Amino acid sequence: MSSRSRLTIAVWAERSLLFIAILFFCVHSLPHAWRTLNTDFPNYYLAARLAHGGVDTSRMYEWSWIQRQKDYGALDIRVIGLLPITPFSTLIFLPLTFFGVLTAKHIWILLNLVLLIPIAWILHSLTRLHPGRIALAIFLSFPLYRNLLYGQFYIFLLFLILAACLSYLRGYRSLAGALVAIAGICKIFPLLLFLFFLRRRDWGALASGVITACLATGLSLAIFGLNAHRVWLFEILPWVMHGEGLGTYTTTASISGILHCLFLSEPQWNPDPWYSWPLVYAVLASVLPMLILAPSVLLIRRGDESPKGVLLEWSSLLTASLAISTIPASYNFVLMIFPVCVIASILLQDRSYKWLTVLLAIYLGIGFPLPVPEHPQGLALLWYVPRLPLMLAIVLGLYVLQRRGLPVAEERPTRTRYVWGAAIIAFVILNIRSSFLLEQGERKEYNYRIPLNVQGFANTSPRMLGNELHFIRFSLSGYQLVTKSTQRFDAYAIPWDSVPEDILSFTATDGNVLIERVSTASSKTPIPNSSQILDALDKFRVVVENAHDPMLSRDGRDLAFLRDNRGRASLVMRRSFRTRSMEEILTPPRWNVYEASFLSEDKFAVAAIKNDDRPQIFITDSTHRLSTLSMTDSRYPSFSPDGRWMAYSHLDHGFWNLWLRDEHSGAISRIANVPCNQIQPSWESDSKTLLYSSDCGRSIWFTAISRRKVIP
C-alpha cells in the first residue's frame, strides 16, 4: 500500500471517529446532562445562592448544616456537601442564582460549550494541530461528558490554564501569573504552576500571581466571612493534602487511596488491608508523589524560551499534579486535553505514528469509565485503577521528551538543582515523619470504637437511652435516625420509616424522643425554608415550627432549641413544651449559636460566635448571665446528667479533641490528644462515660461512634 493510500485511510479514519464522537455527544451525553441535576453543580449553586441571599455561611462546610440549607431551598437532590471546594470557586455561579437550579445548570452547560471554542483556538495557536484533530481530542474526552453531567468546573479551569500559557508565550507574563492564581484559588493544584515561575525566576509573573491571589481571597472573605475560610484552610485542606478528604478507602486512581486500602486498617471501611503497616504507608505516600512531581520541577530550564520547551514544562507540571492528586475524580482529567495535544503535535512532527497510536489508546483509557467492585481485596484492587499507570505513562513520556531536548551543557547538575534537590529530600523526610505520627495516632482511637454494622458515610450525634443507642446515619439516601440495642450490636432497627424527610437532629430522654424533620424537594408535603420538631412517640405530632437541634431539660419538662435567621441561630426555650407556652430567647441577637447543652433555664451552655470571632463556649453563671470559657475555638458542650461535668471539644493544631471541665472547681483537663476529630459528646446516665463521634482513620467529619469512660 502506498504512502498516499495510507494517508487517505488515516484521514477518513479520523473523520469517522470524530463524527461518531460528536454524534454520541449530541445524542447521548448532552441530553442526559441537560435533563438531570447531579452533584456537583448544586454544591456550587447553593453556596453562591446563600452568599447572594446574605445568609451567614460560617458553617457552610458542615454536612448537616448545608443539608438543612439545601432542604430549605428545596433543591431536588438527595444529599449535598461542599468539601473540599474553595469558597472562591463558587463565586462564578453568583449570576446564576437569579434562576432556578436546573435552569442555572442549563446556562452553565451552554457557557461551557461556548468555552470549547476559545479552548480549541488556543490549542491550535500553541500546537499548530489541525482543528479537526483538536476537536477529536476534545470529543474523545470522556471526562468532558462528566463535567457537563455533573456541572463541574474543569472546562473553565482548562480555559484559564491554556490562556495563562498562551499569555506567557506571547510575553504577557503578569497576565499569565494572574490567570494561574485565579485557577489556583478555584482548585488548589494549579498553584503548582507557580513552581514554573519560581524555577525560571520570573518575579513579575510570580508577583502578579501573589497580588491576584490576595485580591481574590479578599473578595471571597468579604462575601463568605472569615470563619468559613478559617475552617477550609486549617481544618479541611490538611486532611485533603494527606489523602483523607473524601473517599479515603475507595478504589480511585489516587496514590493515597491505593496505599490506604493496602496498608491502613479501619474497623468499618477497611477491616482487612493487604498488610496493615502505617510506616510503609508513610514512606510510600511521601516518596512516590515526589518521585513523580520532582522531575517536572527539576527539568524546567530558565534559558529555554522556545514554545516547545515551555509547552512541555507546563504539560509536565499539569500532568504530574493530576497524577498525584488525592481526590482524582473522573472529570478532573478533561485537563489532559492540553498535554495530550502538546505530545501529539510533537509526535506528528517527528512522524512517530506508532507512538501516536499508543498515545490515543492511553488517552482513551485515562477517561474511560470502568466498573469497579465495591470492596476489592488485597493487590487485586490494582487491576481496577488503570488510570494511574496510564497517567504515569504520560508523565514518563513528557519527561523523555524534555530530556531529549536538553542541551548537553545543561545535562550536568548545577548548584541550583542541588539546592532544589536538597529541599525536596528534606520535605520528603519531614513528610514521612508527620504522616507516620498522624496515622499511628489515629489508630489509638480504634480502641474506643463501638462495633456497629450500620454503615453510611457518617454516624453522628450519639445518645444512649436505657439499653438503646440512638444516632443519625448519613448515607446516599439522606439522614435517618437509627436505634440499636447495646446488647446486640449486630441487630438494628430504624423505626422512623414513616418520616421520609431528613432527620438532622434529635433528643432522647426517658419517655421522650423529639426529632427534627426537614422537608426535602421530593417530600409529599414540602415546607420550604423551615424545619420542624416532632414528637416521635406521639404519632409525629408537630411540637415546634421553624426550629432545629432540640434539647430537653433534665426533668423532661422544658424544651430548648435553635432557630435560624439568615443562617445565624439563637437558643430559644419553651417552658412546659407540651402546653404550648410562650417562647423565650436565651442568647443575645448578635450571636450565632452553633450548639448548646441544656439542663434547665438556670443551667445551660452554648457554643457560639460573636460577629466573625472564633467559636467559644459560654456558660450560665450564678447570676444567670453567660460567661465565656478561657479558651477560644471550643464547641460541642455537653453537661453530665448530674451537672458536675461538662465535656466539650477544643480545636488544637487543626483537630477537635475532647476536654473536660469540672463545674464545681472550674478546672479543665484534656481527655484525648489524637490527630483527628472527636466531636458531639454526650453522657451516659452514670455521668462517667462519654459517647462521641470520631473520624479517626476515616475521611474528615465522616465519623463513627466511640465510647470511653472519662471519670473513674
Side-chain angles (χ1 to χ4, degrees):
M1 185 182 296
S2 65
S3 299
R4 185 170 183 176
S5 299
R6 286 196 296 268
L7 180 60
T8 302
I9 293 173
V11 169
W12 278 104
E14 286 182 16
R15 291 175 179 175
S16 300
L17 190 58
L18 178 59
F19 174 77
I20 294 171
I22 294 176
L23 183 65
F24 178 81
F25 175 79
C26 295
V27 173
H28 177 268
S29 301
L30 185 57
H32 186 45
W34 189 267
R35 63 176 177 262
T36 56
L37 188 64
N38 301 85
T39 184
D40 303 291
F41 181 80
N43 303 342
Y44 295 98
Y45 175 86
L46 178 59
R49 193 165 82 173
L50 293 175
H52 178 257
V55 175
D56 189 303
T57 54
S58 300
R59 302 178 65 186
M60 62 190 286
Y61 286 106
E62 297 180 28
W63 289 100
S64 59
W65 188 90
I66 198 68
Q67 181 78 6
R68 185 179 291 115
Q69 301 304 316
K70 184 270 297 183
D71 291 340
Y72 287 172
L75 297 189
D76 193 11
I77 186 170
R78 198 62 193 92
V79 296
I80 201 167
L82 294 182
L83 271 73
I85 63 179
T86 64
F88 180 80
S89 65
T90 67
L91 294 183
I92 193 174
F93 296 87
L94 275 174
L96 301 181
T97 59
F98 291 98
F99 306 92
V101 61
L102 191 56
T103 302
K105 186 185 178 185
H106 294 164
I107 297 172
W108 180 245
I109 289 174
L110 293 175
L111 289 173
N112 277 270
L113 293 177
V114 170
L115 276 178
L116 294 179
I117 298 173
I119 284 172
W121 178 81
I122 295 173
L123 285 170
H124 174 68
S125 300
L126 293 174
T127 65
R128 297 303 171 186
L129 279 176
H130 187 275
R133 286 170 175 161
I134 293 173
L136 192 62
I138 291 173
F139 286 101
L140 284 180
S141 172
F142 289 100
L144 173 73
Y145 307 146
R146 294 291 186 184
N147 268 271
L148 297 177
L149 177 63
Y150 296 147
Q152 255 293 347
F153 206 82
Y154 287 83
I155 295 174
F156 178 66
L157 199 67
L158 176 62
F159 168 73
L160 288 176
I161 293 172
L162 285 170
C165 186
L166 181 66
S167 300
Y168 187 87
L169 285 172
R170 295 195 172 179
Y172 303 106
R173 305 295 173 81
S174 297
L175 177 59
L179 291 172
V180 168
I182 294 173
I185 295 295
C186 291
K187 300 291 181 182
I188 296 302
F189 67 87
L191 291 177
L192 288 175
L193 291 172
F194 276 126
L195 294 174
F196 172 84
F197 302 134
L198 192 60
R199 281 283 289 156
R200 285 178 170 261
R201 300 182 185 179
D202 197 327
W203 309 121
L206 201 60
S208 173
V210 171
I211 293 171
T212 302
C214 291
L215 292 174
T217 302
L219 175 64
S220 186
L221 282 167
I223 293 175
F224 289 104
L226 181 60
N227 275 307
H229 291 81
R230 186 186 291 127
V231 168
W232 185 88
L233 182 62
F234 295 110
E235 299 183 48
I236 296 174
L237 182 60
W239 284 70
V240 173
M241 295 296 289
H242 68 249
E244 294 180 355
L246 287 174
T248 303
Y249 297 95
T250 56
T251 308
T252 63
S254 73
I255 294 172
S256 64
I258 293 172
L259 294 178
H260 268 85
C261 291
L262 290 177
F263 297 111
L264 296 178
S265 64
E266 204 285 330
Q268 279 85 31
W269 287 0
N270 197 44
D272 299 307
W274 179 61
Y275 196 90
S276 183
W277 200 347
L279 179 59
V280 172
Y281 167 83
V283 172
L284 294 179
S286 303
V287 171
L288 292 181
M290 192 55 69
L291 286 176
I292 296 169
L293 180 64
S296 68
V297 177
L298 297 177
L299 287 173
I300 294 174
R301 291 170 287 169
R302 182 184 175 191
D304 184 6
E305 297 291 339
S306 67
K308 178 181 176 181
V310 171
L311 288 174
L312 284 173
E313 289 168 2
W314 279 64
S315 298
S316 296
L317 276 171
L318 179 60
T319 308
S321 65
L322 286 171
I324 66 174
S325 172
T326 59
I327 312 179
S330 59
Y331 43 73
N332 296 28
F333 296 91
V334 71
L335 300 175
M336 288 302 295
I337 292 174
F338 178 20
V340 164
C341 284
V342 171
I343 298 173
S345 67
I346 295 173
L347 294 178
L348 284 170
Q349 292 173 10
D350 296 344
R351 299 182 181 273
S352 301
Y353 299 117
K354 291 182 179 179
W355 284 112
L356 190 64
T357 305
V358 172
L359 175 66
L360 176 61
I362 292 174
Y363 181 56
L364 292 174
I366 287 172
F368 193 79
L370 292 175
V372 179
E374 187 174 359
H375 296 293
Q377 295 295 317
L379 294 176
L381 69 87
L382 298 176
W383 290 102
Y384 303 104
V385 286
R387 184 187 295 148
L388 181 58
L390 293 177
M391 285 292 296
L392 296 181
I394 295 285
V395 172
L396 180 61
L398 285 165
Y399 293 161
V400 169
L401 291 174
Q402 284 182 272
R403 186 72 178 177
R404 190 180 67 178
L406 195 66
V408 176
E410 294 189 25
E411 291 184 3
R412 293 187 296 271
T414 62
R415 184 174 63 179
T416 303
R417 287 188 180 177
Y418 280 128
V419 171
W420 276 89
I424 289 171
I425 292 171
F427 175 82
V428 169
I429 293 173
L430 292 174
N431 199 49
I432 290 173
R433 180 181 180 276
S434 64
S435 296
F436 176 66
L437 293 176
L438 184 144
E439 299 300 338
Q440 191 179 46
E442 285 185 337
R443 273 138 194 85
K444 294 178 182 178
E445 180 67 21
Y446 290 172
N447 296 327
Y448 304 96
R449 185 79 59 86
I450 295 179
L452 302 175
N453 70 327
V454 182
Q455 288 302 302
F457 295 132
N459 296 333
T460 67
S461 306
R463 301 285 188 276
M464 187 70 74
L465 183 60
N467 291 324
E468 291 184 334
L469 173 65
H470 302 268
F471 58 92
I472 301 292
R473 179 179 66 174
F474 167 37
S475 65
L476 283 176
S477 58
Y479 292 73
Q480 298 89 28
L481 177 59
V482 176
T483 300
K484 289 175 61 68
S485 170
T486 57
Q487 297 175 350
R488 285 192 62 197
F489 280 116
D490 60 337
Y492 69 94
I494 307 176
W496 322 113
D497 291 336
S498 57
V499 184
E501 294 87 357
D502 283 325
I503 300 177
L504 296 178
S505 63
F506 72 100
T507 188
T509 62
D510 291 336
N512 293 292
V513 177
L514 303 182
I515 63 174
E516 173 201 352
R517 179 184 69 179
V518 190
S519 298
T520 64
S522 57
S523 300
K524 294 181 180 179
T525 56
I527 304 174
N529 301 313
S530 180
S531 53
Q532 301 171 317
I533 294 177
L534 311 179
D535 190 337
L537 302 183
D538 187 13
K539 301 179 181 180
F540 299 101
R541 176 179 61 87
V542 177
V543 177
V544 185
E545 297 278 4
N546 188 23
H548 59 89
D549 289 286
M551 294 156 278
L552 284 169
S553 61
R554 183 161 35 190
D555 59 13
R557 291 174 52 84
D558 300 335
L559 173 67
F561 51 87
L562 301 185
R563 176 167 287 155
D564 281 353
N565 180 20
R566 302 175 74 87
R568 300 180 70 86
S570 299
L571 180 65
V572 182
M573 182 189 68
R574 177 182 288 182
R575 297 184 182 88
S576 302
F577 72 94
R578 294 187 184 279
T579 63
R580 296 185 178 274
S581 59
M582 295 294 292
E583 297 175 355
E584 179 182 349
I585 299 176
L586 300 179
T587 52
R590 294 182 62 84
W591 289 16
N592 183 9
V593 179
Y594 284 16
E595 302 91 18
S597 180
F598 180 76
L599 289 182
S600 68
E601 180 182 1
D602 300 327
K603 184 69 172 179
F604 64 90
V606 297
I609 61 172
K610 296 188 293 185
N611 300 319
D612 248 355
D613 294 340
R614 297 180 179 183
Q616 52 189 321
I617 294 176
F618 300 85
I619 306 176
T620 51
D621 59 21
S622 57
T623 62
H624 307 309
R625 299 179 62 182
L626 288 166
S627 58
T628 182
L629 288 182
S630 58
M631 288 192 296
T632 57
D633 290 321
S634 299
R635 289 184 59 180
Y636 309 106
S638 178
F639 286 119
S640 60
D642 62 6
R644 170 69 188 276
W645 309 98
M646 185 184 72
Y648 62 97
S649 298
H650 173 63
L651 183 68
D652 185 23
H653 294 91
F655 305 111
W656 292 95
N657 280 182
L658 290 174
W659 286 66
L660 187 67
R661 183 178 191 268
D662 187 331
E663 289 299 294
H664 290 178
S665 66
I668 60 175
S669 58
R670 189 168 194 156
I671 295 174
N673 186 3
V674 290
C676 44
N677 294 308
Q678 301 167 312
I679 57 177
Q680 300 169 332
S682 69
W683 292 86
E684 295 190 12
S685 58
D686 63 358
S687 294
K688 296 180 179 181
T689 306
L690 280 179
L691 294 168
Y692 57 95
S693 305
S694 172
D695 57 13
C696 295
R698 300 160 73 93
S699 301
I700 180 172
W701 299 331
F702 280 3
T703 56
I705 306 300
S706 296
R707 180 187 195 185
R708 70 164 72 199
K709 191 172 184 178
V710 296
I711 304 297

